[in-house]
Amino acid sequence: MSSESSLTRSVDFLISGMTCASCVRRVEKVIERVEGVDEVSVNLTLEQARVVLQNSEALQQKINEIETVVNNTGYEAKWLNPEEKIEDTSGSDQHKDFLQWVIAAAFSLPLVLSMIVVPIHHGWMLPGWIQFLLATPVQFWLGRHFYVAGFRAVKAGAGNMDLLVALGSSAAWILSTVLLIGYLFDPTAQSEPHLYYESSALIITFILFGHWLEKRARHKAASSIRALQALRPDTVCKWVDGQEIVVPSEAMIVGDIVVVRPGERIPCDGVVYDGESAVDESMLTGEAVPVEKIKGDQVTGGSLNANGRLLIQVEKTGKETRLATIVQLVENAQASKAPIQKLVDRISAVFVPIVIVVALVTFFGWWINGYLVEGLLHGAAVLVIACPCALGLATPTALATGCGAAARSGILIRDAEALERAAHIQVVGFDKTGTLTEGKLSVVSIVPAEGFNVQQILQWTASLSLGSEHPLAKALLNKAKAENIELLTPESFRVIKDQGRGISGKINDVTFLFGNQKMIENFGLHGDQLPSDVNGATVSWLVRYQDGNYELLGVVAFEDHIREGANKAIAQLKAKQVKVVIVTGDNEQAAYKVANAVEVEEVYASLSPEDKQNLIVQLRSEAGQKRSVAMVGDGINDAPALAEADLGIAIGEGTDVAAEVAGVVLMRNNPGLVAATIDIAQKTRQRIKEGLFWAFIYNIIGIPLAVFGFLSPAVAGGAMALSSMCVVANALRLLRWKAQI
């Protein structure tokens, strides 16, 4: 399922201690300096780093080196072994953060109450030494993380949110302490000066509260991966010599027979060996209705056995299963960066130094005019209000939430770039068979040439089909079985590609060819007018080659059924002002029959895979305008067009091929998910834009207010925490999204 070349491989790390976009950029920089690293992408929401390494035998050495350089920078890196389940420690981290906030709030509350009642009755002000005892633990014990991380940032020649918080809160604490010491050692002082310990304590308290809420939000945004990983059972029940033996999941191998009781998760991809049951596949496909399974049916690991006992023969385990494929696709999407996030990262890299300069200018500006204390406070307010936390959270939180919501509806988005492209789609090209139709063809008519009969044509065409996996071949074999036709094994079987599309082989030393109109035209033959009762059907001709001549023996007509939901899907796309076209290798009559049924006006038929690819290029620049084009296909014969399109969408079971060429994989054979893909992409993009807008507006308004003295450091700390919460809460609205199909 990986898109990387054989010369590279990706490894994932859990990164602890990041708080803002500046942290992300610094972690990326130190990892990029490690020799052999090709690419790095750090995700603040997931607290993970994906590193693409040049393939080498010294992989473990590189992993250790990356962990070391990250740890030396002030963060903690831990390699995520793909063979092991990720241990979810976010719950304990959230509890620790919550406890720290509660303690900080308990110490800060008396300071706040004192600040509120002093204007009413000055005698109620807490003595300075009590304020000192309350504020100091908050500043240096509960707030020690900001000093440690800020110092390491300075040591690395960079700045981050922690540095701004440490500087801002320290300014208020130092000023208050200097004033308190001056009062205590001044025998002439009549009354205690006004102190600002409440500002230093509240800055720390508000930001600890913001950290706790952010971690909760990030945990919720990344819940889709944890939910998918939880579908893998730790143990399985093997059926050995008529007995049930419970073993770890890792002990299960291909060929084993496993027992799955009602209410248990299926531990592997396999086939039902014995038993009958309804299987709930909703966590994998988004389809709520359980699917009935009987002997011989395929089952997917992670799905839920509802009401019957099943014996399943194992076909795929571990990383080879469909569930592992889905997890990998979702992880790729959430760990990647949208192009807009890269711009935000560049802005954040220079943001902190600029803020420090503005704070210094503010301090000196007020000091020069005779307001030393005010200058220190207003400079501190600038440092706190400008923390770029909301800026760093806006994009990754929305991406993680949007991709997770899409996955729950059966839409797997490969990466953030694919999500961003989906939001701009203007034209959608649908393959016909298997996308707009069910792909289950049936023979509706056999018309023999003069001198031949229906049974002969069916016998020869079905016999040729014994060597083919094409849907037409399956339809012929089903028809022959229903008619009790004896089949003959063909010799010299081959697939015809260069002279049209079809198959050929020898039956009783006579060469037969069976294929489309383009094939027979290459042999100098022309099909007669089709009977009126099969107009619009998919047709193929049977040709006999004998004594150097090609002879037309008959024609077989096939029909497919329109897939349920196809009409609604086309209507939804049109409502979004998206142009819809049909792109198919089938003949024009069959293509237009489907097009009329689903109300699509533009049809391109009789196209080879190469023709489809060229058509995508044509649609992209049609009418002199550059348009964004998506192609929807089954991921096999549509591969060139899926790769050429701005967004390739593989529908249904084309997962393996789709991983190589498509940006989106739809786990259900429902074309309505195409419109849903565009919808979730547009909503995610809108949340990103809204988050970035509010983050920028907050700084544009807040910094000048702090510079001119309209914001105290405590209020600035509260506003900063509030801005981060608003950005995250806005992104989490995507959790309520569901595909409307």
Side-chain angles (χ1 to χ4, degrees), residues 612-684:
K612 291 182 180 181
Q613 183 179 18
N614 294 331
L615 178 64
I616 296 298
V617 177
Q618 176 186 327
L619 290 171
R620 187 181 288 129
S621 57
E622 196 172 45
Q625 295 181 343
K626 184 171 176 59
R627 299 186 298 181
S628 187
V629 180
M631 175 66 193
V632 186
D634 61 11
I636 302 172
N637 60 343
D638 298 305
L642 288 169
E644 180 64 46
D646 297 287
L647 180 69
I649 302 177
I651 190 168
E653 300 298 328
T655 308
D656 291 339
V657 176
E660 302 300 328
V661 296
V664 175
V665 179
L666 307 181
M667 299 304 294
R668 277 186 277 171
N669 291 314
N670 191 321
L673 289 177
V674 177
T677 299
I678 295 175
D679 184 59
I680 185 60
Q682 290 175 341
K683 283 185 168 57
T684 302

